[in-house]
Amino acid sequence: MLVAAAVCPCPPLLVPEVASGAAHEMDQARAACYDAVGVLAAARPDQLYVIGPAEQPGRGPHPQGTRGSFRGYGVDLEVRLGKGDASRRELPPSLAVGAWLLERTDWTGSPVEGLGIGEPLARARCEETGKELAASADRVALLVMGDASNCRTLKAPGYFDERAAAFDAEAARALGAADIDGLLALDEELAYDLKAAGRSSWQTLAGAGQGAGLGGRLLYDDAPYGVGYLVASWS
């Protein structure tokens, strides 16, 4: 059963070494992520899953010990998903940011596994995957990586779309309220149009949270680069 979840954005800019001179611009988001991960540790789960959007070949399971790096962003920084060295596969960027957060907060709790989720994955498949994760152990926690819309301003990577603010506001409300039905109601096609990379991860969380009776808190909601970044905690 799901006992806790942390929802965090996944831009590599969250990592100060990648952001370099602009690192301070993500200070508030980073601090909120640390707080959310702290709630996961306090829940003392038997199993932690880090889930996030991924392209091929990064989709699918990533066992504990899988490595990731930020060399593609010009930084010689390597991370590892928990202890060990269990795989030659490399973590997709979203899970590498998740692994970095766990290392940064000195995660010493339960075993950790990763799951890269295709952004176009249908709502029903996301929901079913979440249920399977929640049923995998008596006490399951999720670190859910993903961004909101990519179209909040004219300078945003996806350019401006007038629908973006309303989509992000509803996602923030649902995540902050641990509203399962609200998350499952997020429009898949609209999320794709708005390049909202977190939609599939959030709907996987919704599946995992069914019947768990968790409450939510929204810890951060902003779009510093025209991309919606949300941080929430469920417990």
Side-chain angles (χ1 to χ4, degrees):
M1 176 179 287
L2 186 71
V3 296
V7 178
C8 296
C10 58
L13 288 173
L14 200 64
V15 179
E17 291 88 340
V18 175
S20 188
H24 68 281
E25 297 177 5
M26 294 292 286
D27 282 349
Q28 291 185 354
R30 202 176 293 118
C33 290
Y34 297 158
D35 289 344
V37 173
V39 172
L40 298 183
R44 298 183 179 275
D46 300 320
Q47 177 68 51
L48 172 65
Y49 293 103
V50 183
I51 67 174
E55 299 293 336
Q56 293 291 14
R59 295 177 184 173
H62 296 269
Q64 179 159 307
T66 305
R67 296 175 182 268
S69 81
F70 296 94
R71 295 188 187 93
Y73 303 95
V75 176
D76 188 16
L77 175 64
E78 188 173 88
V79 294
R80 187 181 299 179
L81 195 62
K83 299 178 180 179
D85 192 4
S87 174
R88 293 185 178 180
R89 296 183 69 192
E90 183 163 320
L91 295 172
S94 67
L95 300 191
V97 175
W100 178 85
L101 280 173
L102 292 177
E103 289 186 356
R104 184 72 175 178
T105 51
D106 296 323
W107 178 266
T108 57
S110 63
V112 184
E113 296 179 26
L115 180 64
I117 302 173
E119 291 179 42
L121 191 66
R123 177 190 296 111
R125 289 283 307 279
C126 293
E127 183 180 4
E128 186 60 32
T129 297
K131 290 178 180 178
E132 292 172 358
L133 295 177
S136 67
D138 289 339
R139 298 179 63 81
V140 171
L142 296 181
L143 175 51
V144 183
M145 311 301 296
D147 301 337
S149 73
N150 207 330
C151 307
R152 290 279 289 273
T153 66
L154 291 174
K155 294 184 178 181
Y159 197 64
F160 175 72
D161 191 309
E162 62 183 5
R163 302 170 295 174
F167 177 90
D168 288 359
E170 176 55 21
R173 185 207 64 77
L175 288 168
D179 181 355
I180 303 295
D181 292 338
L183 289 175
L184 291 175
L186 293 174
D187 189 287
E188 298 168 63
E189 291 187 9
L190 178 58
Y192 184 80
D193 288 347
L194 298 175
K195 302 174 176 60
R199 190 276 310 170
S200 56
S201 298
W202 300 337
Q203 291 185 330
T204 301
L205 167 62
Q210 292 181 8
L214 302 182
R217 287 191 304 143
L218 186 65
L219 304 179
Y220 181 85
D221 176 6
D222 204 353
Y225 303 110
V227 182
Y229 297 145
L230 304 173
V231 181
S233 175
W234 291 19
S235 61

